Amino acid sequence: MADVVGGFGFRTGSAAGIGVGPYAELTFDSEGDVDRATQGAVARMEATDVLVFAHGWNSDRSTAVRLYDRFFAPFPALVGPGVRLGYVGVVWPSMRFSDEPIPDFEAAGALAEPGHGCALDPLTRQALEGFWPGRRAELDRLAELLAEQPESAAAFIEFGALVRELAGVDAVHAVAAPAVPAIFTDDVLEVCRTLSRALARAGAGAASGSGAVPAGGEGPGLTAGAGLGGLWGGAKELLRQATYYKMKKRAGVVGERGLGPVLAELAAGRPAMRFHLIGHSFGARVVSFSLRAVPDGARYVRSVTLLQGAFSHYAFADRLPHDKGRGGALRGLHRKVDGPVVACHSPHDSALKVFYPLASRMAGDSAGLLGFDERWGAIGHDGVQAVPGAPRLSLDTALREGVPAAGCVSVDAGSVVRRGGAPSGAHSDICHEELARVVVAAGRMGR
């Protein structure tokens, strides 16, 4: 049975917790199957332009609704008089780690109480049980180990085996399976040591307020430690990476098999309706992979705006710099958009600066002749790469002069996307009117 998230269909105003309208939700399960009632609600919208926003991996439905409410709020005052907006929130099964703060955003009770450290706080533990239903015994033992933090190699080996089991990785065949990340097959102590150091670096960057991650810096409050006991922070990150591994695949499935076909059906029934896709983090992966379902010659997707996108900066490239015989996973799909694909990125995003390339490198592939950051970079860290002619703009320039009418464009949003604590830094600092104005410019909806 696929994982599901409850949907609530067509809403306007405060009835849905959204201050703009008309608003509807498109709800998908983990296999990309849509709740048809929610699709019907979108089909009934009276709108010329529909903003379709997909949340990221660190979300549950209530968090996603608050995100949509905050992000959509500026739009009515930004669009021209001939534009009638509709608002759609994509809801797909993801995983909320309540110890990761979202700047100026958290409702009371949404964050873990301080002082848990490496231990699983009750809210995260509850979310994990929803993410891996029927695995309470394994989660009980993982929580016990994280709370006790024994200085024992055997404890780490047990922890790693439990995480592999939750991730669906067969320890016997994992080494020979190229699709299984090395993070689940390498020596668990070395993996936890590497992740602990990455946490320390991310903490140093967040504490500095600059987003800069010093090479080898440990940072206050986050240290890899001299003994095994100092590696349990890395062990907790390994558990987080197991959910990341599962949701990365899920986001692509929801986009390609779910959102993409649904948009095609909606466009067939409402040919005058224009869609503007917005995605944050893995939600950027959802909306980008939906382009695979756009028929050749179709022009209903009028713009795509990616906010701190958690996928490869080479995704749209026809040829990879390190392998000229291959292209990116989404090569050429920006040409299916009747408008631009705008990748907003920030150097202050620790999740994409530190953990995304680390997780990608630990997938086991060779980095070839390129450096670590070049080979494994995320589109939300340094924008679109290896797409000839794709301009790179500052946020001020994009807002002052607009963005190109077609093709890929990178916008450095670091002037506003800059706040947030460890381990993710500014990854979720996206609720800014300036970014709403980028969406309007990309969709040619302005006054």
Side-chain angles (χ1 to χ4, degrees), residues 166-195:
L166 289 174
V169 175
D170 185 334
V172 175
H173 301 102
V175 176
V180 176
I183 196 169
F184 301 123
T185 61
D186 284 356
D187 179 82
V188 67
L189 286 173
E190 288 305 311
V191 168
C192 291
R193 185 172 287 110
T194 299
L195 292 173

Side-chain angles (χ1 to χ4, degrees), residues 148-181:
E148 295 177 355
Q149 301 177 45
E151 294 207 30
S152 161
F156 281 94
I157 291 170
E158 180 186 5
F159 189 93
L162 288 168
V163 169
R164 279 198 306 271
E165 188 172 343
L166 289 174
V169 175
D170 185 334
V172 175
H173 301 102
V175 176
V180 176

Side-chain angles (χ1 to χ4, degrees), residues 74-81 83-85 440 445-447:
F75 280 91
L78 299 177
V79 299
V83 175
R84 286 179 292 137
L85 286 179
V440 170
M445 296 179 286
R447 295 181 180 278

Side-chain angles (χ1 to χ4, degrees), residues 62-108:
S62 63
T63 305
V65 169
R66 294 201 306 278
L67 168 66
Y68 299 151
D69 181 48
R70 286 282 301 277
F71 192 84
F72 286 149
F75 280 91
L78 299 177
V79 299
V83 175
R84 286 179 292 137
L85 286 179
Y87 304 87
V88 172
V90 175
V91 180
W92 60 282
S94 57
M95 166 68 203
R96 176 79 174 108
F97 276 87
S98 62
D99 58 355
E100 291 191 20
I102 300 175
D104 297 335
F105 190 62
E106 302 299 344

Side-chain angles (χ1 to χ4, degrees), residues 52-443:
V52 181
F53 195 159
H55 63 78
W57 76 301
N58 190 35
S59 294
D60 53 21
R61 183 187 172 273
S62 63
T63 305
V65 169
R66 294 201 306 278
L67 168 66
Y68 299 151
D69 181 48
R70 286 282 301 277
F71 192 84
F72 286 149
F75 280 91
L78 299 177
V79 299
V83 175
R84 286 179 292 137
L85 286 179
Y87 304 87
V88 172
V90 175
V91 180
W92 60 282
S94 57
M95 166 68 203
R96 176 79 174 108
F97 276 87
S98 62
D99 58 355
E100 291 191 20
I102 300 175
D104 297 335
F105 190 62
E106 302 299 344
L111 280 178
E113 294 293 329
H116 283 282
C118 297
L120 290 178
D121 65 273
L123 292 173
T124 298
R125 171 59 189 278
Q126 181 179 358
L128 286 169
E129 289 191 15
F131 191 72
W132 281 304
R135 309 307 291 268
R136 176 172 292 186
E138 293 90 339
L139 291 169
D140 279 344
R141 182 56 180 157
L142 287 171
E144 184 179 4
L145 289 169
L146 287 171
E148 295 177 355
Q149 301 177 45
E151 294 207 30
S152 161
F156 281 94
I157 291 170
E158 180 186 5
F159 189 93
L162 288 168
V163 169
R164 279 198 306 271
E165 188 172 343
L166 289 174
V169 175
D170 185 334
V172 175
H173 301 102
V175 176
V180 176
I183 196 169
F184 301 123
T185 61
D186 284 356
D187 179 82
V188 67
L189 286 173
E190 288 305 311
V191 168
C192 291
R193 185 172 287 110
T194 299
L195 292 173
S196 294
R197 288 170 179 161
L199 284 167
R201 294 178 63 211
S208 72
S210 67
V213 182
E218 293 294 316
L222 282 170
T223 175
L228 295 182
L231 303 184
W232 283 103
K236 185 178 182 180
E237 184 59 32
L238 176 59
L239 177 61
R240 192 191 310 265
Q241 289 294 324
T243 68
Y244 174 99
Y245 171 64
K246 183 175 179 178
M247 282 185 288
K248 178 180 179 180
K249 294 188 293 184
R250 179 180 292 177
V253 168
V254 170
E256 183 173 359
R257 301 180 189 172
L259 180 60
V262 165
L263 291 176
E265 290 180 21
L266 290 169
R270 301 287 299 275
M273 190 175 278
R274 301 182 289 260
F275 293 96
H276 306 273
L277 309 185
I278 309 162
H280 170 236
S281 186
F282 273 164
R285 185 177 176 90
V286 170
V287 300
S288 296
F289 273 71
S290 78
L291 298 176
R292 287 182 169 177
V294 176
D296 291 338
R299 289 291 178 260
Y300 55 85
V301 177
R302 295 301 183 92
S303 68
V304 177
T305 305
L306 310 175
L307 306 174
Q308 303 310 116
F311 60 93
S312 173
H313 56 194
Y314 295 140
F316 293 101
D318 288 327
R319 294 180 179 83
L320 299 177
H322 52 283
D323 186 350
K324 299 296 186 180
R326 296 172 53 218
L330 302 171
R331 60 183 176 275
L333 289 187
H334 54 285
R335 301 184 186 100
K336 291 196 172 187
V337 179
D338 188 23
V341 173
V342 181
C344 294
H345 58 96
S346 171
H348 310 299
D349 185 332
S350 300
L352 300 183
K353 183 179 181 68
V354 179
F355 289 102
Y356 178 87
L358 179 63
S360 298
R361 177 172 64 88
M362 296 182 85
D365 294 333
S366 169
L369 298 177
L370 298 182
F372 174 83
D373 289 337
E374 291 177 323
R375 176 66 178 88
W376 299 118
I379 200 168
H381 170 59
D382 57 4
V384 176
Q385 301 290 328
V387 175
R392 306 184 68 81
L393 308 176
S394 70
L395 181 59
D396 286 345
T397 299
L399 295 179
R400 184 176 64 253
E401 302 177 8
V403 299
C408 292
V409 57
S410 302
V411 174
D412 185 343
S415 59
V416 296
V417 180
R418 58 182 305 111
R419 296 176 303 131
S424 295
H427 186 61
S428 296
D429 185 21
I430 61 168
C431 291
H432 299 281
E433 181 178 324
E434 292 89 343
L435 298 183
R437 291 168 60 194
V438 169
V439 175
V440 170

Side-chain angles (χ1 to χ4, degrees), residues 3-9 11 25-28 35 38 61-62 65 91-93:
D3 299 323
V4 296
V5 175
F8 289 81
R11 305 295 174 90
E25 289 172 2
L26 276 174
T27 302
F28 297 91
D35 179 332
T38 66
R61 183 187 172 273
S62 63
V65 169
V91 180
W92 60 282

